[in-house]
Amino acid sequence: MSAAKRLSRPVAPGSTIGILGGGQLGRMLALAAARLGLKAHVYCDEDDAPAFDVCHAHTFARYDDERSLAHFAGACEAITFEFENVPAQAASFVAERAPLNPGAGALALTQDRLAEKNFLVSLGLQTPAFTAVSSPEEARAAFGAIGAPAVLKTRRFGYDGKGQAKIASADGVMAAWTVFEDAPSILEAFVDFEFEASIIAARGQDGDFVAYDPPQNVHENHVLRRSRVPSPLSAAQVAQAKTIARRVADGLDYAGVLTVELFVTKDGALLVNEIAPRVHNSGHWTIDACLVSQFEQHIRAIAGWPLGSPERHADAVMENIIGEEAADWHKLAESCGALHLYGKKVRRTGRKMGHITRLGPKTAAR
Ligand code: AMP
């Protein structure tokens, strides 16, 4: 894997960092950059991007518009991205002009579920059983080997449950294969997990590493409902989760925040579901419950600054505000929590509109 370009010196306050993508993660990254005295330039192909409201400069252009990309890269001293489906071409193009972190190699790996799973296996990490499938015959044969229930996932462009289907029968595999329009996929064993967790960690340009306490995550309709820290993980499992994140980050020669999503099995094993090469929804509580949030940590890492303390000073429950729930913003504002609204004008079913974090006294120091 090609190593990402490193900065020759830290990006000084007053300078500009670039963010590819203008969603809520870009918005919170831009806010964190501003707090450190850095300016954010956000590039997005949607004109009402949530991050545009809070940044120093923005470019509204397509990801294949090389003139706009060159202008953007020329204005930035360091560049990052807030979503992993950034077209690889756009990532390589800007990476030739300014240091891009995480690098194009980490991005390419996490854009392909099969490459990502093979990489995890090569590190000796445990994942659900999986098989690559590239034809209906292979899908049927893989289902025969893995058994029911299984999950068919397209190799590319899946998120929040999109591009995946739970499979109960051989006919079900064929039906899902047709819906996915023959897209190269993996068939994975369905894990009857005890709960889900994630580990959010940062690696600096010098290889320094920090990790947050791993939250327990609850999904509804494939969308994160809430994250809670501390999680029910034992101290040994927390240490193991941090080791997993470190192996992944070192293996990718990574700079920035990354997230490893985990299934915690009933017998206590930690299986890696997937890697997100970015800040993560399950880490939003770090804004209000930690000394240095995941967003600030990411800005520090990509700007070549020292990493900050991931220490948690409170217990926290982060609840997403989804779709029509945002209509209750006044009531939410009255409730005792830190309210974050993303400025999205249109409320759609399943769309993340904001989140609220409720804090309590810190009960466990893991
Ligand atoms: P993913 O897009 O792979 O992160 O999957 C989204 C969600 O679907 C996960 O957070 C789980 O709740 C569920 N899921 C995905 N893969 C599996 C699996 N192999 N077994 C059980 N649940 C799964």
Side-chain angles (χ1 to χ4, degrees):
M1 180 170 312
S2 61
K5 273 205 207 87
R6 297 296 192 237
L7 290 160
S8 47
R9 58 176 187 282
V11 177
S15 310
T16 302
I17 54 123
I19 302 170
L20 290 165
Q24 63 267 20
L25 300 180
R27 180 181 174 102
M28 290 182 269
L29 284 169
L31 290 168
R35 211 176 76 153
L36 296 177
L38 293 162
K39 295 180 166 69
H41 186 146
V42 174
Y43 191 109
C44 186
D45 65 353
E46 286 170 32
D47 65 352
D48 60 349
F52 284 176
D53 293 348
V54 302
C55 61
H56 169 73
H58 75 258
T59 301
F60 162 48
R62 289 163 50 119
Y63 291 106
D64 60 1
D65 176 349
E66 293 195 342
R67 236 177 101 113
S68 296
L69 284 171
H71 177 262
F72 162 76
C76 300
E77 293 206 22
I79 299 180
T80 189
F81 50 86
E82 58 109 50
F83 70 120
E84 60 269 43
N85 287 328
V86 175
Q89 193 79 17
S92 326
F93 186 86
V94 297
E96 281 162 20
R97 289 158 177 82
L100 174 77
N101 280 293
L107 185 64
L109 186 100
T110 52
Q111 284 181 345
D112 181 345
R113 284 190 194 273
L114 178 62
E116 180 181 311
K117 283 254 156 51
N118 285 334
F119 168 69
L120 292 165
V121 171
S122 77
L123 294 178
L125 302 177
Q126 280 185 280
T127 69
F130 66 94
T131 310
V133 290
S134 52
S135 68
E137 296 74 34
E138 282 182 10
R140 193 181 280 277
F143 183 74
I146 284 184
V151 188
L152 187 69
K153 298 181 176 181
T154 56
R155 280 173 60 173
R156 304 180 73 82
F157 303 121
Y159 67 98
D160 284 353
K162 292 177 180 68
Q164 66 171 268
K166 191 172 173 186
I167 310 289
S169 67
D171 286 348
V173 178
M174 303 326 283
W177 185 261
T178 307
V179 171
F180 293 166
E181 297 176 339
D182 297 341
S185 298
I186 60 170
L187 189 76
E188 195 174 282
F190 183 83
V191 181
D192 182 23
F193 50 72
E194 183 73 20
F195 62 92
E196 291 184 84
S198 55
I199 178 90
I200 295 142
R203 189 169 183 272
Q205 310 222 355
D206 52 2
D208 192 17
F209 177 87
V210 297
Y212 291 92
D213 283 348
Q216 174 181 12
N217 303 320
V218 175
H219 292 84
E220 282 172 13
N221 304 319
H222 293 283
V223 176
L224 184 67
R225 175 77 266 173
R226 75 185 64 82
S227 294
R228 178 189 298 272
V229 274
S231 70
L233 291 169
S234 68
Q237 286 171 314
V238 169
Q240 195 193 339
K242 291 182 179 176
T243 303
I244 291 171
R246 177 148 215 170
R247 285 234 199 106
V248 171
D250 287 347
L252 292 171
D253 190 20
Y254 196 88
V257 165
L258 69 73
T259 305
V260 181
E261 297 177 16
L262 301 166
F263 296 139
V264 184
T265 66
K266 296 190 189 319
D267 57 5
L270 304 184
L271 307 186
V272 178
N273 174 32
E274 66 177 356
I275 307 166
R278 54 170 170 79
V279 287
H280 197 260
N281 192 171
S282 66
H284 289 1
W285 55 272
T286 62
I287 300 175
D288 301 299
C290 293
L291 215 50
V292 172
S293 75
Q294 61 165 350
F295 299 100
E296 178 175 336
Q297 203 72 268
H298 186 71
I299 297 296
R300 283 171 174 248
I302 64 127
W305 289 30
L307 297 181
S309 164
E311 194 187 336
R312 177 170 65 81
H313 52 71
D315 286 5
V317 179
M318 186 285 314
E319 187 98 23
N320 270 335
I321 299 164
I322 299 168
E324 277 307 315
E325 292 165 6
D328 277 340
W329 60 268
H330 195 275
K331 215 158 133 199
L332 288 161
E334 279 171 351
S335 80
C336 199
L339 181 61
H340 301 252
L341 296 172
Y342 306 147
K344 295 181 183 177
K345 288 171 201 81
V346 184
R347 297 194 289 266
R348 278 194 303 270
T349 308
R351 191 174 198 206
K352 293 170 183 167
M353 305 297 294
H355 71 267
I356 187 160
T357 303
R358 298 189 172 87
L359 300 180
K362 185 173 173 180
T363 56
R366 281 177 184 148

